[in-house]
Amino acid sequence: LAAAAAKPARKETRKLHDFTVEGEKTLPLNNYTVHWGYFSQLEQPKLTITSGETVTVEMASHHACDDYDKMVAGDSGMESVFEWSTSVMNVERRGATEPSLFQADGVHVLTGPIYVEDAEAGDVLAVEILDLKPRPNQDGKTYGSNAAAWWGFQARNDKADGTPYYPGGFMGNGSDPTLPNDETVSIYELDPSGEYATLNYMFKWPFLTDPKGVLRNYYAFPGTCVPHDYPGFSSKVTDMGWTKDETRGIEYNFDPFPAKIPINMHVGCMGLAPKSHDSVDSIPPMPTGGNLDNKRIGVGTTMYYPVEVAGALLSMGDAHAAQGDGEIDGTAIETSITGTFKITLIKKTDADKPAWFPILDFPLGETADTFIVHGFTETDYLETYKNSPGDIYGAPSSDEGALQPAMMNAYTQTRKFMMATYNISQAESDTIMTQGVDFGITQLVDGNWGVHGVIPKVIFEEAGVDRRRMLAAAAAKPARKETRKLHDFTVEGEKTLPLNNYTVHWGYFSQLEQPKLTITSGETVTV
């Protein structure tokens, strides 16, 4: 860090990387082209396109100010978004900035919206991800941030030593500097090869005061800029008016375990404005997409979103360098990226629209090999809590009861999709789903918890539209009478335990059961 601080500042403007795929149109990043923390049918479009066009979109991480020097400084687009001083606040509606300005907003910096000509309610918008690349800083390096914060799953459990997890002021600790805050931010550096991200350093969340004099003693507010005091950190953040409680300071770990996390660039929050409300929080996922936080929404994936308003109004942000299923501690490796997308409108009047078109009331993903079905605790929380959408945070999704309804939702959506797409019965769907579809926890942190089902296309490829004919042909073949023989083993065991009525026990485990074979440690057994 000291060596980096000794380098002369680079004065030239940062240039975007060379894209594998360039868009026909570009939506750059600045304080005009973003909206912070919400999707809205009232938001003024920032770009208009026609169906089938490709667009390059720049996206800012809402966690970039966790380290201003590494993720904002010297980048004019990023600086214009995050500029918040005692004299200027470039983005006034800055998500859940303070209680008086909540306006039911979330946290994500979203670029857009993009208006798609001729899009109308009842259509489906297909967004194919052609390219995703990191947004390097003025030194040509790329960083990301992970916040283990109060909304993470770890905050619902005691710490490893058995003591409670304290999320700062969120649980009523107030500004008392003697009370702890276990929230921890981890800064990652992305390897130039694009293969992995490595922990650079970690710090405990400090007690901060913003340029308006509001205390920020837990990680709850987007765009909070941390006035670091490690060697070489610039004065830009303190110059803007951000201060910290000097009696607490900032607790750092500059020697974290050097784990190498495989990079998997994907878009955490992408979707369309809903019709039901003028403006909605960007955090809970909804039928028109939004904050799915699914690591599979990367290059090669096409997302399909039901259109509810004229022009579709597509926005995107919350880009991730990596994330495991579950997003356990609260966030992925949040970073700024630039992507290229092919945006295609599927009209409700199209004669060749997909078989699943009439039943699509959720965001659907497709890759070359799979379909990805998304289910949530509430299929449409904006309908369930239409009078007060924020109540989703107090629903079962905020405790252990959220996972079952999310799984039920994912199951019914997957069943519905398979029956419509492949013209199969429910009984056929259930057995095929059980053997061939993988379900996973998408995220446990977004209010409306997510479970996804991944359907391999190969299950249906041989059958296709001719499945009934093939079944009939197979039924007409004469039955094989020969006895089935065991295959030849790749590896034979030193000992064998054969199958018969003596060697089995049915329906129980028991310490009293008579052993049927005795071996020594290290022996191989064929069973």
Side-chain angles (χ1 to χ4, degrees):
L1 290 171
K7 292 180 180 179
R10 294 180 59 182
K11 301 298 184 183
E12 67 269 26
T13 303
R14 184 190 62 83
K15 296 180 179 179
L16 289 172
H17 71 282
D18 293 329
F19 282 99
T20 305
V21 181
E22 289 280 0
E24 297 166 277
K25 292 182 177 178
T26 298
L27 186 55
L29 175 72
N30 55 58
N31 60 301
Y32 169 72
T33 58
V34 303
H35 50 105
W36 204 321
Y38 60 92
F39 289 86
S40 175
Q41 60 179 314
L42 305 180
E43 187 72 14
Q44 183 69 26
K46 305 306 188 298
L47 181 69
T48 298
I49 67 169
T50 57
S51 176
E53 286 193 292
T54 56
V55 182
T56 295
V57 181
E58 299 181 12
M59 290 167 272
S61 170
H62 54 292
H63 286 266
C65 240
D66 289 347
D67 191 314
Y68 186 96
D69 284 9
K70 284 179 167 52
M71 292 183 276
V72 178
D75 182 324
S76 59
M78 294 290 288
E79 288 179 339
S80 74
V81 171
F82 284 93
E83 181 69 24
W84 179 6
S85 67
T86 53
S87 60
V88 63
M89 188 177 184
N90 277 354
V91 181
E92 278 289 341
R93 186 175 174 182
R94 185 178 282 239
T97 302
E98 57 182 284
S100 64
L101 298 176
F102 269 166
Q103 302 179 70
D105 289 348
V107 297
H108 308 100
V109 178
L110 301 175
T111 308
I114 297 171
Y115 186 97
V116 182
E117 291 182 349
D118 200 33
E120 57 187 345
D123 297 337
V124 168
L125 193 69
V127 182
E128 181 182 0
I129 305 174
L130 304 177
D131 187 24
L132 296 174
K133 291 291 191 298
R135 186 181 181 98
N137 66 14
Q138 61 183 344
D139 295 320
K141 297 181 178 182
T142 307
Y143 294 89
S145 175
N146 165 247
W150 62 267
W151 64 87
F153 202 71
Q154 81 291 342
R156 294 172 169 84
N157 296 272
D158 287 343
K159 294 185 292 184
D161 62 7
T163 60
Y165 184 99
Y166 290 105
F170 179 71
M171 298 304 293
N173 288 352
S175 59
D176 185 347
T178 67
L179 293 173
N181 184 349
D182 291 316
E183 295 177 308
T184 301
V185 176
S186 300
I187 302 298
Y188 284 82
E189 181 174 359
L190 278 62
D191 180 73
S193 69
E195 295 180 0
Y196 57 86
T198 303
L199 269 171
N200 187 267
Y201 75 95
M202 307 169 73
F203 67 94
K204 290 289 189 69
W205 189 254
F207 279 20
L208 306 178
T209 301
D210 71 24
K212 290 187 175 182
V214 177
L215 176 68
R216 309 206 175 278
N217 59 345
Y218 66 102
Y219 202 121
F221 306 96
T224 300
C225 294
V226 179
H228 287 287
D229 50 22
Y230 64 70
F233 192 76
S234 73
S235 64
K236 176 62 177 178
V237 174
T238 53
D239 291 345
M240 286 194 293
W242 293 87
T243 61
K244 62 178 175 293
D245 183 341
E246 296 294 347
T247 63
R248 293 180 68 103
I250 302 178
E251 181 182 338
Y252 291 100
N253 176 6
F254 288 115
D255 188 27
F257 184 83
K260 291 186 175 181
I261 308 297
I263 289 177
N264 172 32
M265 290 282 178
H266 57 281
V267 184
C269 189
M270 177 167 66
L272 314 181
K275 178 64 176 176
S276 59
H277 298 74
D278 287 345
S279 180
V280 299
D281 184 340
S282 67
I283 296 174
M286 53 191 174
T288 57
N291 193 34
L292 300 182
D293 281 332
N294 192 329
K295 67 179 184 178
R296 296 157 187 81
I297 305 178
V299 173
T301 296
T302 298
M303 291 300 300
Y304 300 97
Y305 302 110
V307 177
E308 294 187 2
V309 300
L313 298 183
L314 170 69
S315 298
M316 61 188 70
D318 185 32
H320 299 166
Q323 179 205 299
D325 279 337
E327 200 178 19
I328 293 298
D329 76 356
T331 78
I333 299 179
E334 311 283 335
T335 193
S336 300
I337 68 173
T338 302
T340 299
F341 307 83
K342 183 176 182 180
I343 302 171
T344 306
L345 187 62
I346 305 175
K347 296 291 295 178
K348 57 188 173 184
T349 54
D350 288 349
D352 59 348
K353 55 183 176 288
W356 46 256
F357 188 97
I359 57 90
L360 192 68
D361 59 356
F362 60 88
L364 172 69
E366 181 181 14
T367 70
D369 304 314
T370 65
F371 286 105
I372 307 161
V373 176
H374 292 94
F376 315 117
T377 303
E378 292 289 344
T379 302
D380 185 357
Y381 86 96
L382 295 172
E383 173 61 27
T384 304
Y385 302 106
K386 58 186 175 183
N387 294 326
S388 182
D391 287 351
I392 185 65
Y393 293 112
S397 60
S398 63
D399 58 33
E400 294 81 359
L403 206 50
Q404 181 174 346
M407 181 63 230
M408 291 173 63
N409 189 330
Y411 159 71
T412 56
Q413 297 287 38
T414 303
R415 179 184 67 191
K416 178 174 67 176
F417 174 83
M418 290 173 61
M419 291 175 66
T421 303
Y422 299 109
N423 191 28
I424 58 178
S425 68
Q426 175 172 337
E428 290 170 318
S429 170
D430 285 343
T431 185
I432 294 169
M433 188 189 313
T434 303
Q435 318 317 322
V437 176
D438 286 325
F439 288 91
I441 299 171
T442 322
Q443 50 76 23
L444 297 168
V445 296
D446 294 335
N448 202 15
W449 286 10
V451 172
H452 57 267
V454 180
I455 306 169
K457 294 179 180 177
V458 68
I459 293 174
F460 301 96
E461 282 178 355
E462 289 188 4
V465 296
D466 296 325
R467 61 181 298 272
R468 300 293 181 188
R469 177 185 59 78
M470 293 176 66
L471 288 171
K477 293 181 180 179
R480 296 178 62 181
K481 299 297 184 182
E482 65 271 24
T483 302
R484 184 187 62 83
K485 295 181 180 180
L486 288 174
H487 70 282
D488 293 329
F489 283 98
T490 305
V491 180
E492 289 281 359
E494 297 167 280
K495 293 182 177 179
T496 299
L497 186 58
L499 176 70
N500 55 55
N501 61 302
Y502 169 73
T503 59
V504 303
H505 51 104
W506 201 322
Y508 60 92
F509 289 86
S510 174
Q511 60 180 318
L512 305 179
E513 185 71 16
Q514 183 68 27
K516 307 307 187 295
L517 180 70
T518 299
I519 67 169
T520 59
S521 175
E523 284 192 293
T524 57
V525 182
T526 296
V527 182

